[in-house]
Amino acid sequence: MKPFSIVPLSQIFDKLPNDSLMRTHWKADNLDGSFAAYASSSVDVDALTLDAPFNNENIVVVFVEGNLNIRQYAFNEETDGSCSIIVTGDLSAGSLIVGGQEIYVSGNLEIRELFWGHYNHGDLTVHGHARANVFIETDEYHVNITGKSQWDKHISNWDEDGNWQDITHEIVAPILHADCFEYDEDDDSLILLRTGMYKLLQKGKSLLKKQKPVVAVPSVFGNYEANAANINRLMATKLIPEDKYELILYIDDVKATITRPYDMLGQQRGNSIYLLQDNVYSVFIKLQEDSVSIIYSDDPAEESKWFPLDANAPVVYQNLANHYWPALLKRVEYIESLKKADIKKINQAVEETVTVEKTQNILSLPLITDKYNDYNDADRNGYWQGNFHYAFRVNTDYYDRIQLMAQRSSKTFPLLPTVQDNFDMQGYQFDVVTDDSSTTPYVRVRYKPHNHSGESPYFSSRYLEVYEVDHLEKALRYWKTFEKNIYDDNERFVNPEDVLGSILGSKFDDGNAESYYEELAQQEDLTDKYFTLNGCRFRVITIRQADELVKDILTPGTSDPAYTLLEDIGYGHSNDKTYFLLAEDDVTMDAFELSNDGEEDWQIAGFIFLKDLNLNTYFWSFDTDFSPYVIVKGTLLAKNIYLAGTAFYFNRIQGELLYGFYNHGSLHCNEVDVSLVFADDFEMYIRKISNGFLVHTHCIKTIMQFAEEDGSIETLHDHPVPLTHPIRHVLLNELYSYDPGEKRVNSHLDRGKLYEYFVADKSTVDVSAIGLYTDLPQQLPEIFNAIFSSEQLQKNESVKFDSLVIHGETVEQVFFETFEMEDQAGRQIGLYDFRNATTMRIVHNTQDNTWWCCYDVYSKDFSALQYTVETDINDITLENVGVRYGFARAAKAWNEQFS
């Protein structure tokens, strides 16, 4: 019996998982001509070729109800669109070389050799755990893994700081067989070869070189707590020379000073660790006999300004102790494990690659001497190249310098209290120095943990020590990328006409992106060209004209431009001629459906409405990859709004449903006044939420302001808003799919049906189901008394258990506890939301019988509390409603556990 049956896709369409892209993107009534290779139970096969599986190019999905084991490989050459694989169990394979389709696994994924996903038309979803020997993701391939990910080797276009990087020869060559890639030594470029891999797979050969086993860094502390045993082991580290009693180490922006109890002469010195962040925030950890004390201060010179570190200490000091103490122990383990040969190797590589001659040659290029020739002038000290900023210092009283800074991932900001404006960078400085260690100039590398050009003591840079191997390796990568770019950048500066002339009339591609933008910037203004859409007459304007109109628009609540059109336009437009459509007065339409289609010889890059856009029914953007930009400087008024595929800016939105889908799009809005906001893997940044309830996947953020003791206002620009309602409670039943067995808080919309409702001008939101949980304050005493009088809490001060587990991963946990503090005693019920890194608590102070709600925001890894929003139990705020909903889930989980 053959393992697969070839059947019309329509025959098995309803069997597909509700959250698979095929199920949510394809329309059930438009499946004619599409087929599936279907297996109703688990299957073992030798191999699958997905360009035309089973020699049938009309097969669009291999669907297995059960497990699929591919003994050798699955492969497709075409990455713009290919046959998908969907399994309701586990998927295992020797190798998967894919991209351009959906790979969906309800269970676990195990790849014995190589997984390579390429291009942003490809999508990997694994609801269980994922394991691969080598995992490669390139060209914005989408990866969504619910469980744990374990790769022996991981190759990606994104580095550990979230910056784009090239896949280089030094990364690939030690891992992949030589037939799997092509390397051009002249321009130091590398491409991976799908056909080369396929030939090896057909011959039954491995795609990988034999790897030496990776030796884990030995753990010498056992755990990373601030206890006597760990402090004593830290004092005994061999990193402190025998004739010294003190060691200084650095972890990013923190200086750690380790002081032994006695020096070599027996004089008492300390037995302490001093953590200093940016010369501002201090934490002092001291061991006296077997007792550990931790104190903090922002003015360490004043003894009276040192305070015990406890739960009431400011968050910045708790972060410093909770994050950087373990990081210090791990840093010591790492440095102790280094071999002298490895230290020598990287230092020698830096010395041979970054030479005085190279540095001075670069600093003498016209690009630098004529344009970027003032290190102290922000406009003339350097320029941007992708995510990197290059700056230069030459012919001053200081060392000649090349500075390479990269954008820093926002996930680190909670641990960087001196960073302002939600923007930071880190990088390296290469100084040509002459000092006592050398009679001739040489290049020395400095690390700069922050982006700052002033004289403040924090944000300062420091020279790297020879044993800081990880920093030196990263600095060398930065230099090699810089060296590869700087000469081309200089050539474009010296001969701009030649570069532009070579691409005039050509289509956009990655290779000529910068010149393409220069061409756009030089377009002549359009003054008499118009285009009619939906009965509205638009002016046709160039990208340059559009950039002038929108460059003053800021990301809500910040000083950052929302748009830089001359840098952004290009991707997604296959036609050279792309224009914006401009409406200078109020516009009223029945509906607005986004399209790139202009006229035969040009495309629409975006729409700008200088005033209001009033829609009688709906707003809909079809293309989830590349919809045109839409900017409305006034109000967007529409009953139903669906956003996808681009960056939207609206000054104000008013309506019933606002739905954003997929991570190719984002919304920036000053004020939202709608009944329901649903963000599904779609970033929304909203300055003010006047009305509305929120269903989202941790991607709606707003502004939170706190009044400090001195009366000043602290503004948090990335305040994650809480979930207030599950979608199945507030959206009409026929518009979503919900599987109670999956225990999902949010379910998945049927966008086909949603569109039908939009067109028919039907309401999609069940307004009667949206509530403020108004009865909850009156119900609290009864709920608390019932729970805290239970046998479980009579025996224990606290009870905690998992309340929501999806595919083996805990995503929500509830807790019930009594507590006593100096000034209060009480009890609280709450819920940990691990996906959003927040907790929602209702607290009862039993001494004065007061109640309040707490919404706690943590760092993304849940290691440190950032801040808490407290509200009275009767307040109605966004955070308060979120806490009420979280409490309701916690109370329900208790009843299900113990009833």
Side-chain angles (χ1 to χ4, degrees), residues 97-270:
I97 313 300
V98 292
Q101 80 277 74
E102 177 181 20
I103 306 296
Y104 179 100
V105 184
S106 292
N108 299 321
L109 173 70
E110 182 174 359
I111 305 300
R112 296 179 286 276
E113 190 162 88
L114 171 66
F115 179 96
W116 178 25
H118 178 74
Y119 195 41
N120 62 17
H121 284 198
D123 188 283
L124 171 68
T125 297
V126 180
H127 283 300
H129 305 307
R131 167 84 174 85
N133 191 332
V134 176
F135 189 90
I136 303 177
E137 47 179 316
T138 53
D139 202 10
E140 300 186 49
Y141 184 77
H142 301 290
V143 178
N144 179 25
I145 297 170
T146 304
K148 295 179 180 179
S149 305
Q150 183 180 353
W151 328 122
D152 291 351
K153 299 287 184 182
H154 185 200
I155 299 174
S156 172
N157 281 128
W158 304 101
D159 67 14
E160 65 269 25
D161 295 315
N163 297 313
W164 183 265
Q165 64 179 1
D166 292 329
I167 305 299
T168 63
H169 183 259
E170 60 186 357
I171 293 173
V172 169
I175 299 172
L176 297 185
H177 188 286
D179 291 348
C180 296
F181 61 91
E182 183 178 279
Y183 175 61
D184 187 332
E185 192 170 353
D186 292 336
D187 62 3
D188 190 28
S189 63
L190 179 141
I191 57 173
L192 298 175
L193 299 176
R194 301 178 79 84
T195 53
M197 293 181 185
Y198 188 39
K199 289 177 182 178
L200 289 172
L201 292 171
Q202 287 179 306
K203 295 176 182 178
K205 293 185 177 181
S206 174
L207 305 180
L208 308 181
K209 290 183 176 179
K210 290 185 178 180
Q211 301 292 310
K212 294 180 180 179
V214 177
V215 179
V217 174
S219 176
V220 298
F221 292 99
N223 60 53
Y224 300 107
E225 298 172 359
N227 56 37
N230 284 339
I231 292 177
N232 285 325
R233 173 60 181 84
L234 190 60
M235 297 300 165
T237 178
K238 63 183 181 181
L239 302 179
I240 305 178
E242 292 183 1
D243 60 343
K244 304 289 183 181
Y245 62 88
E246 190 175 78
L247 173 68
I248 295 177
L249 294 176
Y250 293 90
I251 304 98
D252 289 337
D253 57 335
V254 170
K255 177 183 179 181
T257 304
I258 304 167
T259 307
R260 281 179 170 166
Y262 301 96
D263 63 19
M264 71 293 306
L265 299 178
Q267 294 180 338
Q268 190 165 357
R269 292 296 180 183

Side-chain angles (χ1 to χ4, degrees), residues 581-595:
L581 298 186
L582 171 66
E584 298 173 285
D585 297 314
D586 290 343
V587 171
T588 299
M589 299 180 182
D590 282 338
F592 189 40
E593 295 188 351
L594 278 187
S595 170

Side-chain angles (χ1 to χ4, degrees), residues 328-345:
L328 172 61
L329 301 186
K330 294 174 184 177
R331 189 72 181 161
V332 169
E333 287 178 338
Y334 168 73
I335 297 174
E336 285 185 354
S337 71
L338 291 173
K339 297 179 180 179
K340 290 183 179 180
D342 293 332
I343 296 174
K344 181 180 179 181
K345 181 179 179 181

Side-chain angles (χ1 to χ4, degrees), residues 284-349:
F284 191 75
I285 304 172
K286 185 173 179 61
L287 178 63
Q288 293 176 309
E289 296 180 353
D290 288 332
S291 177
V292 178
S293 62
I294 307 178
I295 55 179
Y296 71 93
S297 176
D298 63 355
D299 189 3
E302 292 287 335
E303 289 189 18
S304 62
K305 293 188 177 181
W306 284 91
F307 307 97
L309 185 72
D310 55 26
N312 295 318
V315 172
V316 59
Y317 299 103
Q318 297 186 46
N319 283 344
L320 185 53
N322 294 337
H323 178 80
Y324 285 104
W325 166 256
L328 172 61
L329 301 186
K330 294 174 184 177
R331 189 72 181 161
V332 169
E333 287 178 338
Y334 168 73
I335 297 174
E336 285 185 354
S337 71
L338 291 173
K339 297 179 180 179
K340 290 183 179 180
D342 293 332
I343 296 174
K344 181 180 179 181
K345 181 179 179 181
I346 185 59
N347 281 273
Q348 186 174 342

